[in-house]
């Protein structure tokens, strides 16, 4: 349907015909603090209401919004819906749609609405500020072609489709009038902040799909920003003339110049002159906050800093379902254009992903990620609604679309994409399946400087030789802080690191020195992964899979002093170890250092025997431990002792016949092939007897290797399960690391690669 008079084609909100008359009545003097509940019941105040005072009203609004949000969150969390949806639904319930009388009670005047909006608006601006500060814009120049194509085309093609849709309905309309181009850009645009929040909540931020989605979102956000600025300047030129546009461009250029060439160097100077592990001077911090408060325009109403959920709830409170029943032509056209842009954006993302030979499930997940909507979109439309750029009906439709997309996308992405699925490989990457005369590929994880010495000591203990060399990949895991995008650095492939100061400078120096002293025996490559602690297992497992690793070495989360007191403990490392044990594409070992006696050098020398013990009870983990000990025993000065603990009686949990045969065969092979071998067979009836026997011999060895044997019950450990504190190192590992055992030895708890069904 074509319109007869294009100039009459407006959003319908300027004249107030949607029921929003732009008049605000304020009462003076303003009522801020209430006189108190007792005073309100006095005769002279009998007509006063508590909600007439702005401060208690604002506090009441916050409490009600918070309680309702948490109630909805408790119901929707089971479905995997994000917090944003709960906050929006809470706002819709508190709005005029569901309980209009209650809405009138907590919003007694336009002044109360303005106060709540100002408080929430500060949260929104602060969220955008922090999100933008954490963005690494340099990634736009380092992204691959795949990310560039997806980022650009998923904005440009939907934008063109949206404009064509509106133009087909009204051939005579000018697309740069009535903010048509501007709004179409918002429908087709990509928000980096929204996609970053989605990937963080789904815990796939540093997965292969997450990195591609984040890079594409960053490029798409840049394209959206450029198109938005272009549409704003064109619309300004039509309304105010070319001179006004030139002035706007000049002011924006000056603003960017000051930020890039004045403020940025000053901030770098402050950081460089701040001692490491120290905080920035308070005066500098307050200056940054003040500059932030003054830099955005029209922030005068914002007087206090509240939280982002308040803003989201207030956005939902603007929703009035009654308005959607009376849409004008402008609202109908833009609702159709927004729908077309969403569908085309999904289709373009899917086609590009499939054309890049991505699996169909991953392609669908990426397409869903790219159409994500959230706080940035609803915030922008709320501001447009308040400024009467869009009508009530259009705002209601866009709100429904945003909440629907924000609810559906996380559920579908979670069902379609499982990052651990790629670790389900039929190939066996174990020490047992590695040939003795071939290089053994290992991956060592480092969190703190103390872990460097632990891995170096363990490498010495493993006694590599030219015939049985080791390729060691060292992964330095750093907590993601101050930036939004995870970072992965392969230092041996980089001539120059990204920052002036390397994340892993000391780690690199230490392992280069270790490699220099063990030339032709050990080769070392150092990597750095900067990511959230709860997602570090992705970096570890990905590197292990890509480097064809057979064995991952993890540090234990607790370290003891010589007197037995706890020196340090990190539950984040413990959680990470659990995740890796469950998902690793190869065998895993946890290294525990027990130092409860006078220190003596435990490294093997040519003049003394280096004593290693393997505690064997049967099972695949114990066989893996024996395979590792076999490689170590090739060193001439190594003395290997196999301690075979056998049960005196059976308690109904005998190993399967096939497993027993494999154990016997492995023991025969070790006895036949290892020259300097001591074999001890000890029969024990229960856990306490095992503990007593092990306590009497652990002091004779420098390295003890045991299998994890997770969830395996045996007569030899009966009665010890209840006292096991650390399940990740198994019952025997937990026993040998307990304070009941004294000595100066290292523990290596081994878990053979888990075979999972795809």
């Amino acid at each position: 349907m074509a319109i007869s008079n294009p100039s009459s084609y407006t959003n319908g909100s300027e004249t107030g015909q949607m029921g929003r008359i732009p008049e605000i009545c304020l009462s003076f003097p303003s009522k801020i603090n209430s006189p108190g509940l007792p005073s309100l019941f006095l005769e002279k105040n009998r007509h006063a209401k508590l909600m007439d005072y702005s401060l208690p009203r604002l506090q009441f609004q916050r409490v009600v919004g918070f309680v309702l949000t948490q109630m909805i969150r408790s119901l929707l969390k089971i479905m995997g819906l994000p917090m944003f949806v709960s906050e929006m639904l809470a706002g819709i319930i508190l709005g005029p749609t569901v309980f209009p009388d209650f809405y009138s009670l907590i919003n007694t005047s336009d002044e109360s609405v303005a106060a709540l909006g100002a408080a929430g608006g500060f949260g929104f601006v602060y969220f955008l500020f922090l999100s933008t500060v954490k963005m690494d814009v340099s990634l736009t120049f380092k992204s691959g072609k795949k990310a560039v194509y997806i980022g650009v085309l998923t904005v440009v093609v939907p934008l063109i489709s949206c404009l064509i849709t509106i133009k087909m309905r009204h051939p005579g309309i000018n697309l740069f009038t009535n903010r048509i181009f501007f709004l179409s850009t918002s429908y087709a645009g990509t928000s980096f902040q929204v996609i970053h929040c989605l990937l963080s909540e789904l815990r796939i931020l540093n997965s292969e799909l997450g990195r591609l989605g984040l890079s594409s979102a960053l490029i798409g956000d840049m394209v959206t920003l450029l198109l938005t600025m272009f549409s704003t300047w064109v619309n300004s030129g039509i309304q105010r003339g070319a001179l006004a546009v030139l002035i706007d461009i000049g002011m924006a250029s000056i603003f960017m110049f000051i930020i890039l060439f004045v403020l940025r160097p000053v901030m770098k100077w402050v950081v460089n002159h701040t001692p490491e592990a120290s905080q920035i001077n308070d005066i500098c911090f307050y200056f940054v906050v003040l500059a932030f408060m003054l830099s955005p325009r029209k922030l005068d109403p914002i007087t206090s800093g509240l939280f982002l959920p308040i803003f989201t709830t207030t956005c939902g409170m603007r929703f009035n379902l009654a308005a959607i029943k009376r849409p004008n032509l402008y609202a109908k056209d833009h609702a159709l254009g927004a729908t077309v842009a969403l569908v085309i954006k999904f289709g373009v993302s899917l086609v590009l992903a499939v054309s890049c030979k991505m699996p169909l499930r991953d392609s669908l997940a990426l397409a869903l990620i790219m159409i994500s909507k959230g706080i940035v979109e609803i915030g922008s439309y709320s501001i447009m609604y308040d400024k009467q750029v869009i009508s009530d009906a259009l705002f209601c439709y866009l709100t429904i679309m945003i909440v629907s997309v924000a609810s559906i996308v996380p559920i579908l992405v979670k069902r379609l994409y499982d990052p651990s699925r790629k670790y389900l490989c039929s190939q066996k990457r174990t020490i047992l399946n590695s040939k003795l005369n071939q290089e053994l590929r290992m991956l060592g994880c480092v969190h703190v400087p103390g872990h460097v010495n632990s891995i170096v000591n363990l490498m010495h203990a493993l006694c590599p030789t030219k015939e049985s060399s080791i390729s060691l990949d060292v992964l330095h895991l750093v907590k993601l802080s101050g930036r939004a995008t995870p970072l992965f650095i392969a230092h041996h492939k980089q001539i120059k690191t990204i920052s002036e100061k390397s994340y892993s400078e000391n780690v690199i120096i230490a392992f280069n020195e270790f490699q220099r002293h063990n030339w032709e025996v050990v080769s070392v490559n150092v990597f750095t992964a900067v990511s959230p602690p709860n997602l570090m297992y992705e970096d570890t497992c990905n590197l292990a899979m890509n480097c064809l690793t057979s064995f991952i070495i993890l540090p234990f989360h607790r370290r003891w002093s010589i007197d037995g007191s706890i020196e340090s403990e990190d539950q984040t490392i413990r959680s990470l170890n659990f995740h890796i044990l469950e998902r690793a594409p190869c065998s895993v070992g946890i290294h525990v250092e027990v130092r409860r006696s006078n220190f003596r050098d435990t490294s093997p020398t040519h003049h003394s025997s280096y004593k290693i013990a393997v505690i064997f009870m049967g099972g695949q983990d114990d066989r893996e431990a024996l395979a590792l000990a076999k490689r170590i025993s090739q060193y001439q000065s190594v003395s290997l002792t196999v301690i075979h603990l056998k049960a005196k009686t059976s308690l109904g949990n005998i190993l399967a016949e096939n497993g027993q045969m494999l154990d016997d065969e492995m023991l025969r092979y070790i006895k036949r092939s290892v020259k300097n071998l001591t074999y001890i067979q000890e029969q024990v009836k229960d856990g306490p007897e095992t503990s007593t026997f092990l306590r009497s011999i652990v002091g004779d060895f420098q390295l003890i290797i045991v299998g994890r044997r997770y969830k395996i019950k045996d007569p030899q450990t009966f009665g010890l399960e209840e006292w096991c504190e650390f399940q990740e190192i198994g019952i025997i590992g937990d026993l040998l690391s307990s304070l009941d055992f004294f000595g100066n030895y290292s523990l290596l708890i081994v878990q053979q690669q888990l075979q999972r069904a795809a």
Side-chain angles (χ1 to χ4, degrees), residues 498-571:
I498 288 179
S499 60
E500 293 181 3
K501 186 175 182 180
S502 172
Y503 282 97
S504 310
E505 182 178 354
N506 294 331
V507 177
I508 296 171
I509 294 174
F511 280 102
N512 284 343
E513 185 70 11
F514 169 71
Q515 180 178 238
R516 190 173 65 84
H517 284 92
N518 295 272
W519 192 252
E520 295 184 350
V521 174
V522 178
S523 60
V524 181
N525 290 319
V526 180
F527 302 83
T528 298
V530 184
S531 59
N534 62 336
L535 300 178
M536 287 179 176
Y537 67 89
E538 276 285 337
D539 294 304
T540 306
C541 294
N542 279 334
L543 183 60
M545 187 175 63
N546 295 333
C547 293
L548 303 178
T549 302
S550 297
F551 194 60
I552 299 176
I553 302 172
L554 302 176
F556 193 53
H557 71 281
R558 178 181 288 183
R559 297 171 66 88
W560 293 273
S561 301
I562 295 178
D563 59 359
S565 60
I566 298 176
E567 180 180 308
S568 62
E569 186 171 19
D570 192 337
Q571 291 298 324

Side-chain angles (χ1 to χ4, degrees), residues 495-693:
I495 300 176
K496 189 176 182 180
T497 56
I498 288 179
S499 60
E500 293 181 3
K501 186 175 182 180
S502 172
Y503 282 97
S504 310
E505 182 178 354
N506 294 331
V507 177
I508 296 171
I509 294 174
F511 280 102
N512 284 343
E513 185 70 11
F514 169 71
Q515 180 178 238
R516 190 173 65 84
H517 284 92
N518 295 272
W519 192 252
E520 295 184 350
V521 174
V522 178
S523 60
V524 181
N525 290 319
V526 180
F527 302 83
T528 298
V530 184
S531 59
N534 62 336
L535 300 178
M536 287 179 176
Y537 67 89
E538 276 285 337
D539 294 304
T540 306
C541 294
N542 279 334
L543 183 60
M545 187 175 63
N546 295 333
C547 293
L548 303 178
T549 302
S550 297
F551 194 60
I552 299 176
I553 302 172
L554 302 176
F556 193 53
H557 71 281
R558 178 181 288 183
R559 297 171 66 88
W560 293 273
S561 301
I562 295 178
D563 59 359
S565 60
I566 298 176
E567 180 180 308
S568 62
E569 186 171 19
D570 192 337
Q571 291 298 324
T572 302
I573 297 178
R574 187 186 185 193
S575 177
L576 173 63
N577 290 347
F578 267 114
H579 283 301
I580 295 175
L581 286 169
E582 293 171 356
R583 296 170 171 82
C586 60
S587 297
V588 182
I590 297 181
H591 183 222
V592 185
E593 289 186 309
V594 179
R595 299 287 183 264
R596 301 196 186 101
S597 64
N598 292 330
F599 179 82
R600 68 174 184 268
D601 188 11
T602 61
S603 299
T605 65
H606 295 284
H607 306 287
S608 63
S609 177
Y610 184 66
K611 297 182 179 180
I612 297 176
V614 177
I615 300 175
F616 186 86
M617 288 188 292
Q620 63 179 17
D621 291 348
D622 282 5
R623 293 193 293 271
E624 188 76 357
L626 272 181
L628 178 60
K630 165 62 179 172
R631 294 185 69 98
I632 302 174
S633 65
Q634 295 184 101
Y635 195 77
Q636 295 179 356
S637 299
V638 171
S639 174
L640 174 62
T641 301
V642 176
I643 303 171
H644 189 186
L645 298 178
K646 301 192 71 173
K648 290 181 179 179
T649 58
S650 172
L651 295 181
N653 186 33
I654 303 177
L655 289 172
E657 183 177 350
N658 185 40
Q660 184 67 51
M661 293 176 59
L662 293 174
D663 292 341
D664 294 340
E665 183 182 347
M666 187 70 184
L667 286 172
R668 285 194 297 268
Y669 170 71
I670 293 294
K671 292 176 184 178
R672 185 174 63 251
S673 58
V674 178
K675 296 180 180 179
N676 196 7
L677 173 68
T678 302
Y679 177 77
I680 300 176
Q681 181 174 300
E682 183 72 16
Q683 288 192 338
V684 293
K685 66 177 182 179
D686 55 15
E689 193 168 313
T690 298
S691 176
T692 302
F693 171 72

